Amino acid sequence: MQKRNATVAVIGAGDFIGSEIARKFASEGFTVFAGRRNGAKLEPLVKEIEAAGGEIHARSLDARNEEEVVSFLEDADKHAPLEVCIFNVGANVNFRILDTTERVFRKVWEMACYSGFLAGREAARLMLPRGKGNIFFTGATASLRGGSGYAAFASAKFGLRAVAQSMARELGPKNIHVAHLIIDSGVDTEWVRQRRLEALGTGALDNPDLLMPPSSVAESYWLLYRQPRSAWTFELEIRPFGEKW
């Protein structure tokens, strides 16, 4: 592993996609700054990355809190130049419209849209003086269409996509790559597996090609990072080959 003088900040470093992103970039020599609501849950990931010779700094982070986001990204940038910021906070909930409370709707928006704005703005503030950087956002099927029971989630993901699109148009000419990654499938996590079993019965998991491995998402982010600036992608849709769409 060749060490880089650069950091990647992963906001929303959960057990699956976020952790795989951290592993991938650490294996490529980046210093990783990983944040999630309960930082103690990052201890196994820290041990794994350090055992492999990588460097990771993990902490508890409320991505809805402006001061915490500012501090987290500034600390990452002080350690080594912040080269990549990946916003990966999830807020996938399903409620019938009459069961969607004001609190649920507001909280989902704060988690999936507002906190993405904070992360993107602060990353841009640090990258602009150097004239380079990468800011990536995790989207979902709900970024493109609102499904039954997903009014809160889809509206927040629609909003995040708009934030990313506006940032890409403003920052692209300043040599900052802003991209939105749409995961148009279920990701292979314990929560998704349980949801599929409840909805579709015992045969729901028979076809392994219908769920996306979190490592494949991480590889897609690496692909975006590696793109030459003469051919940047703003929006990348990914789905397993067995997925109907």
Side-chain angles (χ1 to χ4, degrees), residues 61-219:
L61 174 66
D62 182 350
R64 301 168 296 173
N65 185 299
E66 183 176 27
E67 291 182 359
E68 289 189 27
V69 172
V70 170
S71 176
F72 178 74
L73 292 178
E74 285 184 346
D75 287 350
D77 193 61
K78 288 173 184 174
H79 186 85
L82 180 65
E83 191 163 320
V84 186
C85 177
I86 299 178
F87 177 79
N88 183 59
V89 173
N92 189 344
V93 297
N94 181 280
F95 290 99
R96 295 185 307 168
I97 192 66
L98 296 185
D99 295 330
T100 303
T101 64
E102 185 274 343
R103 182 177 180 275
V104 164
F105 192 92
R106 184 181 297 275
K107 184 176 180 180
V108 170
W109 174 78
E110 288 177 346
M111 292 172 63
C113 184
Y114 171 68
S115 56
F117 151 73
L118 290 178
R121 186 194 67 188
E122 292 308 309
R125 195 187 305 277
L126 295 166
M127 294 172 180
L128 278 169
R130 289 191 292 271
K132 65 176 184 177
N134 303 268
I135 304 171
F136 302 149
F137 298 91
T138 299
T141 305
S143 303
L144 299 176
R145 68 174 186 267
S148 175
Y150 290 99
F153 183 57
S155 63
K157 283 296 186 181
F158 266 63
L160 181 67
R161 183 177 186 237
V163 170
Q165 200 172 78
S166 296
M167 286 181 58
R169 290 190 165 109
E170 179 178 345
L171 300 177
K174 299 176 182 178
N175 201 33
I176 295 176
H177 185 188
V178 179
H180 182 242
L181 179 68
I182 295 177
I183 305 172
D184 185 29
S185 77
V187 177
D188 194 359
T189 68
E190 186 58 37
W191 181 78
V192 170
R193 283 174 166 264
Q194 191 58 42
R195 286 283 298 274
R196 287 183 68 86
L197 286 172
E198 291 171 1
L200 303 173
T202 55
L205 303 178
D206 290 349
N207 185 349
D209 297 320
L210 295 183
L211 290 179
M212 181 177 295
S215 59
S216 295
V217 181
E219 289 292 341

Side-chain angles (χ1 to χ4, degrees), residues 8-13 18-19 21-22 32-36 61 72 84 86 88:
V8 56
V10 183
I11 297 178
S19 290
I21 294 169
V32 177
F33 272 69
R36 63 183 291 177
L61 174 66
F72 178 74
V84 186
I86 299 178
N88 183 59

Side-chain angles (χ1 to χ4, degrees), residues 10-16 19 34-45 58-63 68 72 89:
V10 183
I11 297 178
D15 294 333
F16 298 98
S19 290
R36 63 183 291 177
R37 277 177 291 180
N38 185 349
K41 291 184 177 181
L42 288 166
E43 290 180 10
L45 178 67
R59 68 171 66 173
S60 296
L61 174 66
D62 182 350
E68 289 189 27
F72 178 74
V89 173

